[in-house]
Amino acid sequence: MRDALATEPGPAHLEVDMSGVTFIDASGIGVLLAARQRAVDGGGSLTLRAPSWAVRRVTGVLGLDELLVAR
């Protein structure tokens, strides 16, 4: 996932389809947060689209819904 989310310098507006994710742990969340920070630093964004129940559960517990999940 880390390699798939690597971006070149400059604005990147990433939308990550999380509908098929059945498990995500701290490592996965860390990769998403690092990719989001790189995107934001370059003037872009990262949004999770169609997060599965597993993703919603973890982002909710960590208070990251507003930061990562599209509304």
Side-chain angles (χ1 to χ4, degrees), residues 7 9-14 35-47:
T7 60
H13 298 283
L14 306 172
R36 180 193 173 277
Q37 190 61 55
R38 280 191 309 276
V40 168
D41 288 348
S45 62
L46 181 140
T47 304

Side-chain angles (χ1 to χ4, degrees), residues 1 5 8 11 18 23 25 27-28 32 38 41 55 59 69:
M1 186 166 70
L5 293 174
E8 296 295 322
M18 302 295 282
F23 175 82
D25 62 6
S27 297
L32 291 171
R38 280 191 309 276
D41 288 348
V55 174
T59 57
V69 178

